[in-house]
Amino acid sequence: AQTVTQSQPEMSVQEAETVTLSCTYDTSESDYYLFWYKQPPSRQMILVIRQEAYKQQNATENRFSVNFQKAAKSFSLKISDSQLGDAAMYFCATANFGNEKLTFGTGTRLTIIP
Amino acid sequence: DAGVIQSPRHEVTEMGQEVTLRCKPISGHDYLFWYRQTMMRGLELLIYFNNNVPIDDSGMPEDRFSAKMPNASFSTLKIQPSEPRDSAVYFCASSSNRRVSLVNEQFFGPGTRLTVL
């Protein structure tokens, strides 16, 4: 079974600064995918970024990037130039190739300080 | 596209009553997922369907919970009888198997907040 661990229940960052959210996972599969989802106060879950495990290059989406360390089973999310709209719960998730099931971590609540 | 639609957005009911949550996935999506979110247990997958067929219901907590997908555009999650411990936010999500890449993004609905008194 897969497990996803987010060891930081809460984080805060000054507006315009950079913050990194941690995620580690455990899987016996060699082909899998990793995701970061954002859940703002509206409750809507929104995909932020995704990474295929077979790709060595770290994924980036504008101000969001990941640091994927496959051997260490680590998948951290870096948010650059933090904005007030980034305030949300962030969930790390994983899914095996060929299996649509997502396994989520417990989330990190990110607060942006104006 | 309207996105995944869930109804109702909020439901308050009394213990022992039947509760039905509804979901309309994004048109053309092949997969539909039901999740439950609580403070204690986080986000849990309850069941998912592929082409209207249940594939994995191992997350359904007990026989009081049932889910159906009679057609590609509609699914229900039913709790009968409901209990206070069922209070949670229930999410529906859908995804497409017509992969442009090998990664299927799940699109979530706004959720239904259920309170069982």
Side-chain angles (χ1 to χ4, degrees):
Chain A
Q2 294 172 306
T3 59
V4 178
T5 302
Q6 293 180 250
S7 59
Q8 306 153 316
E10 296 184 354
M11 292 280 286
S12 61
V13 64
Q14 206 81 30
E15 191 177 2
E17 297 296 311
T18 296
V19 64
T20 299
L21 309 183
S22 301
C23 173
T24 58
Y25 60 93
D26 191 16
T27 179
S28 57
E29 301 294 324
S30 57
D31 289 332
Y32 53 89
Y33 308 107
L34 297 159
F35 307 84
W36 278 98
Y37 276 86
K38 169 185 177 181
Q39 186 179 38
S42 67
R43 284 201 322 241
Q44 187 85 39
M45 294 283 286
I46 303 164
L47 179 65
V48 174
I49 198 166
R50 58 192 173 197
Q51 172 86 39
E52 292 92 333
Y54 66 86
K55 288 188 177 179
Q56 292 186 334
Q57 185 174 7
N58 289 327
T60 63
E61 286 287 343
N62 301 314
R63 296 182 297 107
F64 299 87
S65 62
V66 299
N67 183 4
F68 174 46
Q69 301 290 330
K70 190 171 184 179
K73 295 183 178 177
S74 171
F75 183 61
S76 60
L77 174 69
K78 185 171 83 170
I79 307 174
S80 304
D81 185 25
S82 298
Q83 300 176 359
L84 294 178
D86 295 334
M89 283 287 287
Y90 286 82
F91 293 92
C92 178
T94 183
N96 290 334
F97 175 69
N99 189 329
E100 301 296 319
K101 288 178 65 170
L102 281 176
T103 300
F104 285 89
T106 52
T108 296
R109 181 174 302 280
L110 178 64
T111 301
I112 310 296
I113 303 167
Chain B
D1 196 322
V4 176
I5 298 172
Q6 290 186 248
S7 65
R9 292 294 306 274
H10 304 273
E11 177 79 30
V12 180
T13 190
E14 293 189 345
M15 183 175 64
Q17 296 298 306
E18 178 179 294
V19 175
T20 299
L21 310 182
R22 297 172 176 79
C23 175
K24 177 179 168 56
I26 293 173
S27 177
H29 279 190
D30 309 278
Y31 287 88
L32 184 138
F33 307 81
W34 282 102
Y35 291 90
R36 178 173 66 176
Q37 185 177 35
T38 61
M39 289 293 293
M40 292 297 294
R41 301 175 68 89
L43 200 62
E44 305 171 279
L45 177 66
L46 300 177
I47 185 172
Y48 78 94
F49 296 83
N50 178 214
N51 291 324
N52 313 337
V53 176
I55 302 301
D56 187 339
D57 65 354
S58 59
M60 295 287 263
E62 48 198 275
D63 292 344
R64 297 185 297 107
F65 286 69
S66 62
K68 294 182 179 179
M69 192 165 185
N71 56 63
S73 59
F74 184 65
S75 177
T76 59
L77 178 67
K78 186 175 294 187
I79 309 172
Q80 166 63 19
S82 58
E83 296 182 3
R85 60 193 169 115
D86 301 330
S87 298
V89 179
Y90 291 82
F91 288 98
C92 176
S94 70
S95 68
S96 172
N97 193 35
R98 287 180 280 279
R99 295 169 172 161
V100 175
S101 69
L102 293 177
V103 176
N104 286 347
E105 176 182 355
Q106 291 187 21
F107 293 82
F108 283 74
T112 295
R113 181 178 294 279
L114 173 65
T115 303
V116 183
L117 303 174

